Amino acid sequence: MMPGHNPGLIMSERLVLPVDNLRCAGCVRRLEAALETTDARAVSVNLAGQEVALDWPDDKPVAELIDLLADKGFPAHLDSIVLAIDGMHCASCTSRVERALSAVAGVVSAHVNPARAEARVEVIEGTVTARALEQAVVKAGYGASAEIETGTSRGERQAREFAGLKRRFLLALVLTLPVFVLEMGSHFIPALHHWLHELLGHFTLHMILFVLTSIVLFGPGWMFFRFGLPNLLRGHPDMNSLVAVGTGAAWAYSVVAMFAPGVMPAGTANIYFEPAAVIVTLILLGRMLEARAKGRTGAAIEKLLGLQARTARVEIHGEVVERPIEQISRGDRIRVRPGETVPVDGKVLAGESWVDESMLTGEPDPVRRQHGDPVVGGTVNQNGRLVIEATDLGEDAVLARIVKMVQQAQGAKLPIQALVDKVTAVFVPIVMAIAALTALVWLLFGPDPALNFALVNAVAVLIIACPCAMGLATPTSIMVGTGRAANAGILFRGGNALQTLSKIEVVALDKTGTLTEGKPAVTDIESLGELAEDEWLALAAAVEQDAEHPLGHAIVAAARERELDISSVGDFEAESGKGVRAQVGERLVRVGSLRWLKSEGIAAGQALDEQIAALSKKARTPVLVAVDDCLVGLLGIADPLRESSREAIGTLHGLGLEVAMISGDNRLTAEAVAAEIGIDHVVAEVLPEGKVEALEELRARHGRVAFVGDGINDAPALAAADVGVAIGSGTDIAIESADVVLMASDLNKVPEALGLSRATLRNIRQNLFWAFAYNTALIPVAAGVLYPAFGVLLSPMLAAAAMATSSLFVVGNALRLRTLRLTF
């Protein structure tokens, strides 16, 4: 965040921290509440991604934030990077290197050991590269090279979490099976019951159940107590608290009934070791399966990261040396063989090949790349040898920017999440209150043994409640939906765009470069005065050679095709959306629209209007040339429509949307183009600054509007629309202003983005309905409301199975988006 000119404004950096123990919506609320008391701003907690994003003041140590997170039970994931340092000779050198390293964004701590000439740097996982640290040290006047870099990717971390839960579950299963067989077998097979009691005796049998269940609860199941009880004592109970209280109560009741039955009312000294053990085992099973499923929700990011090459073949003094990608510098010459991944973003210096850019655009067809063309790191060179010059590296690389955009979108909170947050903030305390009320009602009004009924039903209420399902409902769908979109070459820059795009009612399209190829060509040349055609065309090309508009490029190309001499110019001026003027030798040359030339005082007759109308009806853009205040020529310029334009507009109509075109062309030209491809509304003769006003009018008449554009002059409209969509051939300014970026120049990606947006929001609503309906329906059943009428009670073991199934349903439903087939 930049401070601008306000000296009182504190600068801050945006941090994204992977953290542990984000298990349910209650955890999210607890973490948010903890950060509210700090200097952190713009906090966004991503439950599915297990991370928190926030703005942290530059004048506050990041270590302070890390310590606070650990203290609140959410330790951040850190990497440790070791650097060998050259050039240190004294204590001041040590402190200078430490200060240089500590100043790098994402560094938590830096400790230099002068005796070993090395620095050990703790950084937030995934935010800092060894290369960035090396550069910081070099900038401070010392040498540095990375020796060791540890830490794991998100995928490896999730794999480790799954493996840990699997071990816990298997151990719990092995210990719980004997408990289950001894208890349930005795109930269903009377002969087994008698044989066990004769063989082992009543007390020995119960002692076996006690030992096995105790190991389950305080071994594999200890995680519920380790996190749940401290949170309960802090006044922020979570799902772990529900499990800990429920199973702990059943275990404690059984222990008293077994070892001190005399202190309990007659007929109530029953043991419930089996439900306690089975509940823990089933919940561990649910957690294990959920961890595996959640790992798949981030597969898109892992796939993108997996595209990165690890090494590159660099030309150094005539030799080719293989180097780690972190050691590549801007300007390095890199060789890429057929079949190899292009290691970094660059520009082709030599060679020619077809390059598979499907990772970037989602399109399967390879693209021809030759001298001067850009290439993107992560794409695959197919059949030719290339020599490229490295250009954008690190976080500036296209792939890194894509990953960052997807991560930001996956971590965003949609407006629909606001209701969920309000409910989950009070959900667990309400469940615990319902459980307490359930126990009280059964004690006062239940049949004998009332204490047993009170315990069983209160535990069932605690176990059946599933805040996880509510907390996962939105973020898992966002992660899978945006990841699926990224694989198709559609990047959502924020979660809000995902929700807003699903509600769009009209799509407005810029004409030049969006509906058309953006490669106009001169098709008609008509002289209007005595000046020779080649002479005035050369003058027009001279004026347009420094212009940025595609129409100007077409005029220059037409002159070069005729091999005309193009002179240099002076006093060049451009009026956006109108025309250009410049001095060519002794002559003042103007090139632009008829309306602009008239405003410049140049006369035009009735016949010219008819000529312009005739060109416009053929979907040509008329451009006039004036020399020394006299009209000398008329050009008709055609920009061919994209092959995908007509199909895309038909698909948008099939989605029930209105389609509008905003163009700077005169009305006749714009309407001719619109009629050719079936556009509903035409807004013509719009200057660049008038596009925002045109969008406001469309919004007033039709509702929420999305604007699709590609140029610098589209940036204000992209920002002003409800959703701005930039197509892949667009300028960096257009892309930065947009909410959605289409990496390919295929307009069919627009309805595809709309379809994915609608599908993701539909998926979220399904998840939320399930989560709320599940809890609303089953908590009363667990409390025993069906018992007076039907004699039905819900076993705590069935409650545990239902609770685990609820979370799995939500994650599994979200994963359906990965294989969703969009039909229009």
Side-chain angles (χ1 to χ4, degrees), residues 81-92:
I81 300 175
V82 178
L83 301 174
I85 309 295
D86 292 326
M88 291 193 303
H89 303 291
C90 62
S92 63

Side-chain angles (χ1 to χ4, degrees), residues 511 515 612-613 615-622 641 646 649 660-686 701:
K511 184 178 84 71
L515 283 167
I612 288 174
L615 284 175
S616 299
K617 287 176 181 176
K618 293 192 293 182
R620 308 286 193 263
T621 299
L641 289 164
R646 185 179 287 102
I649 288 163
M661 182 179 77
I662 299 176
S663 173
D665 280 338
N666 69 60
R667 177 157 291 279
L668 285 174
T669 302
E671 287 180 346
V673 172
E676 186 177 345
I677 53 178
I679 283 173
D680 305 305
H681 309 285
V682 176
V683 185
E685 300 178 10
V686 178
R701 282 161 44 199

Side-chain angles (χ1 to χ4, degrees), residues 108 189 206 320 451 489 528 586 654 657 695 755:
V108 177
I189 307 172
H206 284 183
V320 178
L451 183 60
L528 301 176
E586 299 298 320
L657 299 166
L695 287 177

Side-chain angles (χ1 to χ4, degrees), residues 85 87-101 110-115 118-119 142:
I85 309 295
M88 291 193 303
H89 303 291
C90 62
S92 63
C93 296
T94 302
S95 60
R96 197 173 296 128
V97 172
E98 286 182 344
R99 283 198 301 271
L101 290 168
H111 301 287
V112 175
N113 184 337
E118 71 176 27
Y142 303 90

Side-chain angles (χ1 to χ4, degrees), residues 388-596:
I388 67 171
E389 177 186 347
T391 54
D392 296 321
L393 304 169
E395 63 183 17
D396 296 325
V398 170
L399 185 59
R401 286 158 59 198
I402 290 173
V403 169
K404 185 176 180 180
M405 271 194 261
V406 176
Q407 287 174 331
Q408 286 175 341
Q410 291 185 339
K413 270 195 178 180
L414 270 62
I416 198 173
Q417 183 74 14
L419 173 64
V420 182
D421 289 344
K422 290 178 182 176
V423 173
T424 53
V426 296
F427 180 79
V428 173
I430 287 175
V431 169
M432 299 193 83
I434 293 172
L437 182 62
T438 298
L440 181 62
V441 170
W442 279 95
L443 281 172
L444 295 177
F445 305 106
D448 290 329
L451 183 60
N452 290 26
F453 280 107
L455 174 69
V456 169
N457 291 308
V459 169
V461 169
L462 291 171
I463 300 302
I464 196 76
C466 191
C468 287
M470 290 189 289
L472 290 168
T474 301
T476 49
S477 296
I478 293 174
M479 286 190 73
V480 180
T482 53
R484 162 71 191 277
N487 288 337
I490 301 165
L491 303 179
F492 289 90
R493 291 175 62 85
N496 282 359
L498 188 67
Q499 181 166 341
T500 308
L501 189 61
S502 69
K503 300 177 181 178
I504 288 300
E505 291 154 293
V506 58
V507 177
L509 301 151
D510 177 55
K511 184 178 84 71
T512 305
T514 302
L515 283 167
T516 64
E517 294 282 358
K519 299 174 182 176
V522 174
T523 56
D524 301 82
I525 302 177
E526 298 181 29
S527 292
L528 301 176
E530 297 180 359
L531 209 61
E533 186 174 284
D534 282 357
E535 186 176 355
W536 65 257
L537 180 59
L539 290 170
V543 174
E544 291 284 5
Q545 64 185 320
D546 293 323
E548 294 183 351
H549 199 284
L551 297 182
H553 299 163
I555 295 171
V556 173
R560 285 180 174 153
E561 192 175 323
R562 295 189 178 199
E563 299 182 349
L564 303 178
D565 291 330
I566 300 175
S567 306
S568 58
V569 301
D571 300 328
F572 176 83
E573 289 181 71
E575 293 198 28
S576 185
K578 298 177 181 179
V580 294
R581 69 170 72 81
Q583 201 74 31
V584 185
E586 299 298 320
R587 292 169 162 176
L588 175 62
V589 181
R590 297 180 180 89
V591 183
S593 68
L594 178 60
R595 179 190 294 180
W596 177 64

